[in-house]
Amino acid sequence: MKKRVTSLVLSALLVASPLTSASANNDQAVTRGEFFKLVVDHLGYDAANLKVELPKDISANSPYANAAKVLKDKKIVVGFEDGTFKPNQTITPAEASSIVSRFLAIQGDATSALASTYGITFENTKILTLEKAEEIVSKALTSDKTALELLDKTTAAQNEQKSFKADATMSMEFKLKEGTPEIPGMTNGMKMNSDIVMSFNREKGLLQTITTKVPNPETNKEVEMVIDQYFVPEGIFMRMTDPNSGEDQWLDMSAAMPLSFEELMNINEDNMNMMNDLNRKYFFYRDLGKEQVNGQSQYKLGFSGKINSLEEIIGMMSSVLKDQSNTLLSDLEGMPNIEMTMDGTMMVDEKTLLPTHQMIQFEIKYGAAKDPALEMPIESIHYVMDINFSDFNNVNDIVLPEAAKNAEKFPSLEDIPEGFEQLPQPTEKQ
């Protein structure tokens, strides 16, 4: 995708930073403002287009203004109760660790995580020296060069494949917002588990079978739903079991999708390149060495990061949406903000440079909606996905069943009348 992704700035930026000028002392205690600036300058973030207000104690002409706006916008730093950031107050190692951990989607004790994952330890727990601040940034907020090189190679290798298969398990846990009225069929902390089997062929399309198991809060019995999704030249179709008759029900979802089959297929390679670039902007990659898996040597990469807003998500898709980006943002005015954190590992075959396995954890959080009518009852959804890839260039055909040609046509989003009949509900597994 056409993106202008900011590259991570390495040690050269630290040399150029005002913190490393001739007057700086590596043993000198770093202030909160200095650390904010060091982090934001290193990551190359610019607050020019951000609408967020500055904290009360940082003026527009302050050297910390850009950093403060960026960190406030990304909710990395929220400030004190009195609306200040206290930029001239010395920063503690614990505070610096917390700031870095939010970029890396680290859960739990940030100081312990930095020590175990990045080898960053603090002899002095009261103050943070310039030398230690630079160490934190260079080790934790910089992707390994070898990891990024491998990421480029595996992206290129995947783009050369015409087809592949994947199977995955996915678990979801829902957390409802405090004070949410009772929702039929959903309880706070409810979990859903799914098995996913996918076949992809660049010319023939995509077939995805999702088997989802949900606990029924009334009977404590397991509820199962099996859905087949076809993205094929004929259109986009979904098959599911009618809860009343037990018969297959087909829906033609083509009109409800914003992109045609051809557009979806055309963006496949672009999507791979987009994800590669995004790993440089929003995620940090680590080279975890090699492992022997079933007698084969495989590279292991670790990744973690955070996307902070709905605007960033739309911006990521700008080349796919093209001139629809601004329209979509306008249509989503008043919607809850969305934050996403993600971390995981990826295994890559040393010979083919193709991915073999991914383990991903990510969490989506929903903020308050500007328009009360658009308020989401869900506070967050936590996902865990375990994905295996296979059969590269060995998926020859994906055929839409004849029964799908008589599918009920699902209207476009603009044409859905108020009170439109909902999709079938799942049946209990006997």
Side-chain angles (χ1 to χ4, degrees):
M1 291 188 171
K2 298 176 183 177
K3 295 165 296 295
R4 298 295 178 263
V5 181
T6 305
S7 300
L8 294 175
V9 183
L10 303 177
S11 57
L13 179 58
L14 297 178
V15 173
S17 168
L19 288 177
T20 57
S21 65
S23 61
N25 185 331
N26 280 356
D27 295 327
Q28 178 181 333
V30 172
T31 66
R32 288 169 55 84
E34 288 170 336
F35 188 73
F36 297 163
K37 188 175 189 305
L38 178 64
V39 168
V40 172
D41 285 355
H42 174 74
L43 296 175
Y45 289 128
D46 186 2
N49 296 319
L50 299 181
K51 298 178 181 178
V52 64
E53 292 183 3
L54 281 166
K56 290 165 56 175
D57 55 347
I58 296 181
S59 64
N61 60 357
S62 166
Y64 310 130
N66 182 74
K69 291 183 73 172
V70 168
L71 296 177
K72 186 178 180 182
D73 179 70
K74 293 181 175 295
K75 298 180 178 63
I76 300 295
V77 177
V78 296
F80 295 90
E81 291 183 357
D82 61 0
T84 64
F85 268 31
K86 303 190 187 307
N88 298 319
Q89 179 175 298
T90 56
I91 193 167
T92 67
E95 290 174 329
S97 298
S98 294
I99 290 170
V100 170
S101 72
R102 290 168 193 151
F103 279 105
L104 299 171
I106 290 174
Q107 305 294 325
D109 188 308
T111 303
S112 298
L114 290 184
S116 60
T117 305
Y118 302 96
I120 300 170
T121 58
F122 302 98
E123 295 77 19
N124 188 331
T125 60
K126 300 295 184 182
I127 65 169
L128 185 72
T129 65
L130 175 61
E131 181 179 11
K132 185 59 69 171
E134 291 177 342
E135 180 189 352
I136 295 173
V137 171
S138 63
K139 285 185 176 180
L141 295 182
T142 303
S143 291
D144 295 341
K145 182 180 179 182
T146 53
L148 293 180
E149 289 173 349
L150 180 58
L151 190 63
D152 286 336
K153 291 176 181 177
T154 190
T155 300
Q158 290 177 76
N159 284 335
E160 292 175 358
Q161 309 304 305
K162 293 183 179 179
S163 64
F164 69 90
K165 289 183 178 180
D167 63 87
T169 59
M170 179 176 70
S171 67
M172 295 184 289
E173 182 174 354
F174 297 82
K175 183 178 180 181
L176 302 180
K177 291 179 178 176
E178 189 175 346
T180 297
E182 184 175 340
I183 301 174
M186 179 175 285
T187 57
N188 196 24
M190 186 184 78
K191 296 181 179 180
M192 295 173 56
N193 297 304
S194 301
D195 294 321
I196 304 169
V197 179
M198 183 176 71
S199 296
F200 173 83
N201 182 296
R202 193 175 296 174
E203 296 178 355
K204 304 295 183 179
L206 169 70
L207 166 59
Q208 188 168 249
T209 300
I210 305 173
T211 304
T212 301
K213 298 175 183 178
V214 188
N216 187 321
E218 296 180 358
T219 64
N220 290 323
K221 290 184 179 180
E222 203 168 60
V223 176
E224 183 173 278
M225 176 183 285
V226 180
I227 299 175
D228 288 332
Q229 295 176 328
Y230 285 83
F231 296 80
V232 290
E234 295 92 332
I236 299 167
F237 298 83
M238 182 169 70
R239 181 205 66 80
M240 59 194 307
T241 302
D242 187 289
N244 299 314
S245 66
E247 297 179 352
D248 287 347
Q249 179 177 358
W250 283 92
L251 292 173
D252 182 346
M253 309 292 292
S254 305
M257 295 296 289
L259 301 173
S260 68
F261 168 79
E262 290 78 13
E263 289 171 321
L264 286 171
M265 293 301 105
N266 286 339
I267 69 171
N268 178 61
E269 180 174 338
D270 216 15
N271 181 62
M272 290 301 305
N273 294 329
M274 178 197 76
M275 292 309 297
N276 185 359
D277 285 347
L278 286 178
N279 281 313
R280 287 155 167 75
K281 185 171 185 178
Y282 297 103
F283 300 99
F284 303 93
Y285 260 66
R286 291 175 291 126
D287 184 344
L288 301 180
K290 296 180 185 179
E291 292 185 4
Q292 289 293 316
V293 181
N294 298 324
Q296 295 180 325
S297 179
Q298 299 191 11
Y299 298 105
K300 186 175 184 179
L301 300 180
F303 56 90
S304 59
K306 181 181 181 183
I307 298 173
N308 298 278
S309 68
L310 193 58
E311 286 78 10
E312 285 185 352
I313 295 172
I314 299 298
M316 287 160 41
M317 302 171 64
S318 59
S319 64
V320 176
L321 298 169
K322 296 182 172 55
D323 55 356
Q324 299 179 54
S325 294
N326 291 333
T327 302
L328 184 56
L329 280 172
S330 177
D331 291 343
L332 295 175
E333 184 91 28
M335 289 287 289
N337 185 50
I338 296 176
E339 296 179 17
M340 185 179 77
T341 58
M342 183 166 66
D343 68 273
T345 57
M346 177 169 65
M347 304 300 296
V348 177
D349 185 271
E350 183 179 10
K351 292 183 178 179
T352 66
L353 296 176
L354 292 169
T356 60
H357 179 254
Q358 273 191 310
M359 176 66 78
I360 307 171
Q361 291 190 76
F362 62 100
E363 184 174 56
I364 296 176
K365 293 184 178 180
Y366 299 90
K370 296 177 182 176
D371 183 347
L374 300 176
E375 190 67 53
M376 286 281 290
I378 298 172
E379 180 177 307
S380 65
I381 308 175
H382 184 262
Y383 298 80
V384 178
M385 293 190 70
D386 189 324
I387 312 169
N388 294 296
F389 300 94
S390 64
D391 294 275
F392 286 96
N393 277 344
N394 285 320
V395 178
N396 297 318
D397 218 352
I398 295 174
V399 179
L400 184 70
E402 282 293 321
K405 296 178 181 178
N406 297 317
E408 176 185 349
K409 292 188 180 297
F410 197 86
S412 66
L413 297 179
E414 292 81 5
D415 296 334
I416 296 178
E418 196 169 333
F420 183 81
E421 185 179 358
Q422 294 182 348
L423 296 178
Q425 299 299 307
T427 56
E428 287 188 8
K429 183 178 181 181
Q430 302 300 321

